[in-house]
């Protein structure tokens, strides 16, 4: 039975789409890579002027930013009916600065 599971693992991994993202990557670099891979900006909401300031970027995929705590920002994308959210933290904690990718789903 174990050998059967081992046969299925590579097929499952191969079926999962590869994303051109890596931890600590600049959101500007991630955005360029996602566009090149066919993803399109699709923010879930319009960010406020303060959120735009905290993100320190003019990317049209920005959905929101937290003005407190870690200063997370969320950037949303869509491709072929799929959605992707990319979360960043500021490159200079505590100040408005270009974010670094910390997670995505």
């Amino acid at each position: 039975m174990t050998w059967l599971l081992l046969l299925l693992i590579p097929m499952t991994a191969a079926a999962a789409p590869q994303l051109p993202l890596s931890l600590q990557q600049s959101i500007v670099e991630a955005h360029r890579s996602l566009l090149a891979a066919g993803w399109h900006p699709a923010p879930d909401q319009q960010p406020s002027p303060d959120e735009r300031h905290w993100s320190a970027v003019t990317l049209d995929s920005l959905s929101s930013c937290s003005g407190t705590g870690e200063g997370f920002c969320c950037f949303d994308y869509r491709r072929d009916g799929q959605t992707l959210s990319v979360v960043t933290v500021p490159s200079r904690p505590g100040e408005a600065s270009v974010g670094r990718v910390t997670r995505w789903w």
Side-chain angles (χ1 to χ4, degrees):
M1 182 67 140
T2 304
W3 65 270
L4 182 59
L5 292 175
L6 291 175
L7 288 175
L8 293 176
I9 290 172
M11 290 179 9
T12 303
Q18 293 292 341
L19 292 171
L21 298 172
S22 59
L23 292 175
Q24 296 303 311
Q25 179 181 32
S26 158
I27 188 58
V28 174
E29 181 182 321
H31 181 81
R32 282 188 201 126
S33 296
L34 289 168
L35 293 180
W39 291 90
H40 303 283
D44 280 344
Q45 61 190 29
Q46 236 359 57
S48 71
D50 284 339
E51 290 170 317
R52 279 264 172 233
H53 170 74
W54 296 324
S55 75
V57 295
T58 59
L59 301 176
D60 49 358
S61 55
L62 177 65
S63 282
S64 63
C65 281
S66 167
T68 61
E70 292 290 319
F72 295 110
C73 288
C74 183
F75 298 82
D76 294 317
Y77 298 86
R78 194 173 304 275
R79 178 180 77 178
D80 299 330
Q82 299 175 325
T83 60
L84 172 66
S85 292
V86 180
V87 176
T88 64
V89 293
S91 55
R92 292 188 312 259
E95 359 178 339
S97 54
V98 175
R100 298 279 177 191
V101 173
T102 186
R103 66 185 69 119
W104 57 88
W105 62 88

